[in-house]
Amino acid sequence: MNINMKKINIILAFVCILAFTSCSEFLNVEPSNQADSSTSIQSAADAEVMINGLMRKLTSSSYLGRDFLLYGDAKGGDLTIFTAGFGGNDLYYFSHSQTSNARSGFWSVGYNCLLQANNIIANINALKAAGTTEDLDDFLGQALTVRAMIHFDLVRLYGKPYNMEKGSYGVPVVTAPVDAKARLLRNTVEEVYTQVVADLQAAAPLLPNGVNDGYINYYANQALLSRVYLYMENYSGALAAAQNVINSGKYSLYTPSKWVASWASQFGSESIFELGVYVNEADLGTSSPGCYLRRKGHGSSSINGNFMASQYWLKIMGANDVRWGVMDWDQATDDAGNYNHKGACYKYSGSINLAGDGKGSSTAVNIKVIRLSEVYLIAAEAALQTGNKAQAATYLNAISQRDPDVAAYTSSTVSVDAILLERRKELFCEGQLFHDMCRLNKTITFDDDYFGNGTTSPYRELTIDRTFYRCRLPICQDEINANPDIAAQQNPGY
Amino acid sequence: MKKFMLIVLTVLLCNIAFAQTKVTGKVTSSADGSPIPFASVVVKGTMMGVATLENGNYTLDNVPANATLIFSSIGFVDQEIAIGGRAVVNCALAPDSEALDEVMIVAYGTAKKGTYTGAASVVKQDAIKDMPSVSFEQALGGKVAGMQVTTTSGQAGSSSAIRIRGIGSMNASNEPLYVIDGVPVISGDSGQMGDYLYTTNNVMASLNPSDIASITVLKDAAASALYGSRAANGVILVNTKRGIEGKPTVSFKASVGITPSWATDNYETASVQENVNMLYMVFHDYRTSNGRTEADANAYALRQLNSKWNQFGYDFTTNGTGLYDNVNIKGRTDGVENHDGIYFNWDDAYFRTAVYQTYDVSVSGGTDKTNYYTSLSYTKDQGRVYVNEFDRISGRVNVSQKVGKAIEFTTNVAVSSTDKSGYNDTRSTTGNYFMQTRNLLWPVYWPTDYKTGDPWTARYASLAQNMLYYNDYWDNSSKTLKLSVSETLGIKFTDWLNLRSIFSYDDTRVRDHVYYSAEHFNGSSVNGSVTEMSTNDTKLVSSTTLNFNKEFGKSNVSALVGFEAERNNTDFMRASGEDLPVSALQTVATAGTLDANAYYWGNSMVSILSRAEYNYDNKYYASASYRRDGSSRLGDTSRWGNFWSVAGSWRISNEEFMKSQDVISNLRLRASYGVNGTLPSSNYGWRSLAGYSYKYMESPGGALINAADSNLSWETSYTSNVALEFGLFDNRLTGTVEYFNRDSKDLLQDVPISYITGFSSTLQNVGEINNHGVEIEIGGDIIKTSKFRWSASVNASFLKSTVTKLYDGQDIIWTDPTGGDARAYYIYREGESTLAFWGREWAGVDSKNGANIWYSNNDNADYTIDGRNVVYDFNDADETIIGNANPIAFGGINTDVEWNGISLGLNFNYKIGGDLMDGASRDVADDGYYWNRIRSAYYYNNMWTETNTSGTQPKIRGTDLEDSIERSSRHLWNASYLRLKTITLAYKIPTNVVKKVGLSGARVYFNGGNLLTFSKYKIADPEVNEYGTRGWETPIGKTYTFGIELNF
């Protein structure tokens, strides 16, 4: 009897363990760090979180976090490379092909960011349609502005300049989240620009005027619009938008004495749109743009000295230009082993002593997407092209005075070339040069003789201009595989 | 012999208390009447006994007249005969058709091999016990037909990949399910170290191979369908040891092994002189091809060499200015070290003679109520490359206790702690020491500055780092603590009905630690960094089955119904710190900047299962099984899946018409058909999700992370299997020939989608794959006498694995997921192999100019060879299918010889046909571009030059001809090989000798691993990973192990 009771108890105990829960509940296992996408934006607070995610994605190394900056200067002729085999040298060599070195990161990250922006826009519009009482305009305006910026950057990478052949292929325009099976094709350059302008214009009234560090406000929108109008040769529009920024009084140019130090702090008085790069966030460490531009071995033996200023850039810089303050020796030496080439740029290291911009790291340095100096240069060019040479000279002098030896420009000396020259000095390594050279139809000469180290590229000539087919990136093979009809729209030459 | 001595001793020691009668007799074989020598004759219930003489005769004195004798001999079935007052008791023992009646562990129970209707293979402890491998999977290679075991890396503690009957999935797992003592367990790589270093931490290495009694590999649907949705890739059942009724056995085992060298050549480098000359040629050619003069090119090349290596104490000159001029290397005398004529040997600096050691103690025994097995083991293994170490301490207690007559409790508790440290095992210029020695570390680089003698800390121009210095400035470890507890309750309600209920809890905790000091190149930019990760996998399994088994006349019916539930959870925590104040302190607590992350994920499954078996007269067998699984990895609409099988077999040899012949002792035909499945790998793949790992400016950030299909469903495999089993000449020769066909449907595919959607792919159930093949196993005793036995077995698997359907018929190009270096491209294309290499087709070297030529596979042509278009520029050639990593056949050859206690066993593994893609060869045989790399001897020796126009390797150039990023058939090789995987020589010390020192048994052995390899591919090890590729993984070595086994 005793044993029987024991048996029964044992069996009961086991049965209890077995029946620990009901089936459907047992089979519902939710992720702990992710949410269903359909419910991800329900309120302004949610929208803000998604805007943060969008800004963070913009800092991807494949886009504004690094590659877009290097692309503009390595391809524009103001950078050169020391030797083959290091990261990013395809930008200098133009060795892009459909299957390899296609730089498809611009395409994939660009469209992923566009999806994020479109998701925010669509959800906010849906909340508005449902009659939400929350104020979501700021977020909607930011998402629209980012959408415009990405389309504009992509069309500059993949399409011909607007003033070259605006009926040619630009990039596919996406203005809503699309189904996984969608296979969109390329719009014309003109159609892309039309959408870019429409988005910027739609966003402008939604955005607040106050300075909003790390995010987009009304002035960031206007600064980007002035840049876009310049490419479209809508000079009056460019001037008006630039003056909206300049005349607002929210931003001020760095004085020559403060210019160098400005790189060692975040969100300076010129920063109209600056992306935050923080430790433990988008910090790329030894793969950061700062490290790609430093002298080999400076700060870490992993630093390869990937890019340095070309001899042409070094020559345009006056001896007393304050902007030498962010330049230091690169790895080139003379026969005695002494450094002799001041081609390493430290804008993205804070200072030549690797001060960083105040976050305790020399690699977590913010990206200045557009700053007041560029808006002045845009204003100068727009004023010049609209016939107001005196005003153009005034805007240009505000920048050119950073070299005390440069004589003030006057109505008679100001020219597109003069403005371009000042652009090269001021915006060195800020990713705009190549696009400007294409926009202005200039010839680009590469510094293939640097250190005699044999950097001749088999993929391009020593000098090129925008008619060279590799000035446009190829649509990558992966896109063509998944979207076969776009093959017929490949950029000619590839 | 041993037995004889034992019995003699027993008899002598025995107290002769009730002498009554004397019995004599003869023991013979019932098969042929031949006498059986050394058969044991024991009086039942006593210690009394003798062994038969050479002629089979025996004599027993003083036996109780009413006693019963037990006759036994190896290879025969025991027989009991009552004396019944007789003085002469003869006995004819029946040969043991052991192979047929052997009991093996199968899904949710046991089965006799001869009656089982499914396809299963058993590997016993004896087959793996002498191998110096920390994990049992590595010892399984070549032992089971249809199973391929590949160990990608020679790192101590790394994981293996197992493929049973080919590849049945493109996106989900192709690994089998592991079941230990009836409980499904986690397998493969564990922990998170892979986020920092390319390395693996094999969770199966926590299981001590000495604790394993047997392993059953379930291959067809009839065998495995009872495991339902996880069984499509086969099931590996591991059965740990249990105590045997009788005196306690204490056993001690120790072995020590060394690995002094690699198993094969591995990209042996050309000499310093040859490499310097090649680099000179690169620079020289670069200049002349730019239109410069020879003199200018010579000056330029020398300037380059001097600028690189003057700082290491060398000067370079040439006598002439030509491309093929020898470069004179002279040492400089202006420093504290003179390097004239001497070079640094990085192999010696980075590699060592690795030592393996293991010690096992086990105690086992039992009574009719209780049996127990306990063990404690310690293993320490070293990789040949410095930094890599593995150790394990493990303990196990398996106890069974009967409570009353009907209830039995079995408790298995295993605890093990492993510790692994490693280094990067992928194509990393800074972290992979093996790659550095073969491709980057010129012997003219020194770890010290020749001028000052100080350590060299700057990065070498080839991008290698001086790890002799940096090894002191970083640290890593993966510590795994694994606790498994399972409680089994068995209730025998009646002779024909019993219940078995298992409740199991498995807790695996991995602690990963990575530290870089501020001195280290990885830590310098952040002033030192340290990361601690904790990964805690828990698994709860509850399974209850009710078994019915009853004879009805000549029929035997058995049935099983059951319920199973399982919950898996992984808790993950990471804390990291940067800006470390003191290099001696490697803790997050001291860091200036902190970061943390923690979250969890998991899945659960609920199942009902059933099986019915019928056997008529031991001639006709039928079985069927059904299982229904519900999984949290799928959405509401597709959560439940049904899996089933039917099977039958016919023991032809038991038919009357077979009795008249005596050649065929066993003949059986069996067949099965069934359906099982595979779950998606992702826990939440069916949900469209927003992720929140996009923190921005110290505020939370979110983003959409996937494009999901909410109807995501099971992958389903439809398998049929037909086999013929035979035994000839009293089962001296046995074998199985088996055909199988497996159609895997609804395969998950990462369907490529246009990037314009925001993502590159979406997961859908679309693909189909077919695997079919033939497996042959033949084994037997070639010679079998009482003193000498020579047995041999061969297994071969012929497998064809083909993609049969893809989304929209569109090809999918994918890369080798192993190695982290995308070393090979494959294409899934309907009608082609599941491992079809994709790339450009190399046509060799143009003997006129030494340039690479490529079959264009399009209209482009610089000229034609045998009517095929060839081009010089690979960009003009189309990519095509260039090879197939699936072999035609693979398997093992095993042979054992035993004589007087000495045994010699040889195990060969082989692979016939198939191609391998050598990712590393792209680095070591480059014809230009990467100027600072060293090249292999095979490239140098076969390089085209003006004087060697028959060279098979292209002329070295200063310009980039074949982009080394490209994948082409230039680096594709025939993958066939034959390897003597192990050789074991063992000696069982005679019992009379060991008895004198108080032992009951002793054995010493030597095991040699990977001692011989035959292959066409010579430049590195032909045993490649499951994708048929090789990169910069640590090679495997030749091991020499000595062991001793003592029983008390």
Side-chain angles (χ1 to χ4, degrees), chain A residues 218-240:
Chain A
Y218 170 73
Y219 299 107
N221 172 288
Q222 292 299 297
L224 290 167
L225 182 64
S226 71
R227 194 193 262 173
V228 172
Y229 277 151
L230 199 64
Y231 280 74
M232 297 172 78
E233 297 180 335
N234 176 352
Y235 297 114
S236 58
L239 186 60

Side-chain angles (χ1 to χ4, degrees), chain B residues 811-960:
Chain B
D811 295 343
I812 297 177
I813 295 163
W814 53 288
T815 54
D816 183 356
T818 63
D821 53 4
R823 59 177 73 130
Y825 280 169
Y826 304 86
I827 189 167
Y828 286 135
R829 174 176 283 178
E830 291 181 0
E832 299 290 344
S833 162
T834 49
L835 288 176
F837 287 114
W838 181 248
R840 293 200 170 82
E841 192 179 358
W842 190 53
V845 169
D846 188 328
S847 61
K848 294 186 292 298
N849 55 20
N852 278 315
I853 44 178
W854 309 89
Y855 289 115
S856 71
N857 292 304
N858 58 30
D859 294 337
N860 296 331
D862 289 325
Y863 60 99
T864 60
I865 293 175
D866 297 335
R868 295 191 64 191
N869 291 344
V870 297
V871 291
Y872 287 116
D873 183 346
F874 69 86
N875 283 308
D876 292 337
D878 280 351
E879 288 176 299
T880 185
I881 292 175
I882 53 177
N884 177 7
N886 284 321
I888 296 165
F890 62 89
I893 303 167
N894 305 307
T895 177
D896 288 291
V897 178
E898 235 183 287
W899 174 76
N900 264 359
I902 298 172
S903 65
L904 175 70
L906 281 80
N907 300 303
F908 293 89
N909 287 2
Y910 68 87
K911 187 158 125 177
I912 300 168
D915 301 304
L916 71 87
M917 177 64 86
D918 186 343
S921 165
R922 291 186 289 141
D923 291 317
V924 299
D926 198 36
D927 46 345
Y929 190 59
Y930 280 107
W931 297 347
N932 293 324
R933 298 194 162 194
I934 46 181
R935 293 173 172 84
S936 277
Y938 94 86
Y939 174 74
Y940 181 83
N941 295 335
N942 298 303
M943 177 172 76
W944 186 97
T945 63
E946 270 82 1
T947 52
N948 177 27
T949 56
S950 60
T952 57
Q953 294 294 316
K955 180 186 179 182
I956 198 161
R957 296 295 312 272
T959 49
D960 186 19

Side-chain angles (χ1 to χ4, degrees), chain B residues 463-519:
Chain B
L463 296 185
Q465 300 268 15
N466 174 18
M467 298 311 293
L468 291 180
Y469 171 77
Y470 284 113
N471 267 345
D472 294 337
Y473 295 99
W474 77 298
D475 204 3
N476 76 91
S477 64
S478 295
K479 292 185 164 72
T480 308
L481 177 66
K482 188 177 170 76
L483 172 71
S484 333
V485 193
S486 78
E487 182 71 35
T488 307
L489 165 67
I491 305 171
K492 206 171 169 186
F493 296 112
T494 68
D495 276 349
W496 46 267
L497 187 67
N498 65 72
L499 179 134
R500 196 163 82 123
S501 188
I502 304 180
F503 184 80
S504 134
Y505 175 69
D506 186 319
D507 193 335
T508 306
R509 290 164 194 244
V510 185
R511 266 286 307 276
D512 297 307
H513 166 81
V514 192
Y515 160 75
Y516 295 105
S517 92
E519 264 65 51

Side-chain angles (χ1 to χ4, degrees), chain B residues 161-437:
Chain B
I162 291 186
R163 295 286 175 271
I164 296 172
R165 292 186 164 181
I167 294 159
S169 181
M170 302 183 215
N171 185 283
S173 175
N174 277 299
E175 291 288 329
L177 172 70
Y178 289 80
V179 177
I180 297 178
D181 291 329
V183 181
V185 296
I186 58 167
S187 59
D189 187 26
S190 64
Q192 318 279 335
M193 188 61 101
D195 294 356
Y196 291 81
L197 293 175
Y198 200 92
T199 181
T200 55
N201 180 21
N202 183 8
V203 69
M204 280 295 154
S206 61
L207 180 65
N208 175 11
S210 293
D211 287 343
I212 296 174
S214 71
I215 295 161
T216 309
V217 180
L218 307 181
K219 298 190 282 193
D220 73 344
S224 68
L226 217 48
Y227 286 107
S229 61
R230 293 165 296 177
N233 302 317
V235 183
I236 294 180
L237 305 176
V238 177
N239 182 31
T240 61
K241 287 178 178 169
R242 299 186 60 167
I244 296 163
E245 199 178 316
K247 272 202 312 187
T249 306
V250 179
S251 138
F252 175 74
K253 275 167 56 175
S255 67
V256 176
I258 55 166
T259 309
S261 61
W262 303 121
T264 59
D265 276 355
N266 291 287
Y267 314 110
E268 302 309 310
T269 61
S271 71
V272 184
Q273 181 68 60
E274 290 163 349
N275 265 306
V276 167
N277 284 357
M278 279 191 278
L279 188 56
Y280 168 83
M281 289 178 215
V282 167
F283 289 125
H284 194 282
D285 176 77
Y286 171 70
R287 225 47 176 180
T288 54
S289 60
N290 275 2
R292 313 283 178 108
T293 63
E294 277 213 336
D296 179 81
N298 171 266
Y300 170 75
L302 289 176
R303 192 164 74 241
Q304 287 293 332
L305 292 177
N306 281 309
S307 79
K308 284 175 204 308
W309 289 307
N310 283 170
Q311 57 189 326
F312 294 96
Y314 297 98
D315 274 322
F316 302 87
T317 55
T318 49
N319 299 333
T321 60
L323 177 66
Y324 294 116
D325 267 300
N326 188 54
V327 179
N328 308 311
I329 310 171
K330 289 297 291 175
R332 304 183 81 160
T333 53
D334 56 341
V336 298
E337 294 168 10
N338 186 345
H339 294 163
D340 193 41
I342 54 165
Y343 305 110
F344 192 75
N345 188 332
W346 288 99
D347 274 25
D348 286 354
Y350 277 179
F351 305 148
R352 62 184 164 192
T353 292
V355 178
Y356 167 89
Q357 43 188 316
T358 185
Y359 307 96
D360 284 304
V361 181
S362 69
V363 182
S364 66
T367 65
D368 58 343
K369 288 277 186 200
T370 309
N371 72 66
Y372 60 92
Y373 169 84
T374 65
S375 75
L376 183 67
S377 152
Y378 176 73
T379 300
K380 187 173 168 63
D381 192 16
Q382 289 179 324
R384 271 210 78 211
V385 184
Y386 274 103
V387 188
N388 174 216
E389 313 246 325
F390 173 88
D391 69 35
R392 171 183 61 216
I393 181 154
S394 71
R396 172 174 286 274
V397 178
N398 290 353
V399 181
S400 291
Q401 175 68 47
K402 284 193 175 122
V403 179
K405 285 204 165 158
I407 296 180
E408 185 177 37
F409 282 98
T410 302
T411 308
N412 293 355
V413 180
V415 182
S416 82
S417 165
T418 65
D419 189 352
K420 179 184 169 169
S421 61
Y423 65 99
N424 257 327
D425 212 16
T426 183
R427 185 177 180 270
S428 156
T429 53
T430 56
N432 186 321
Y433 305 0
F434 168 59
M435 177 184 178
Q436 292 196 0
T437 62

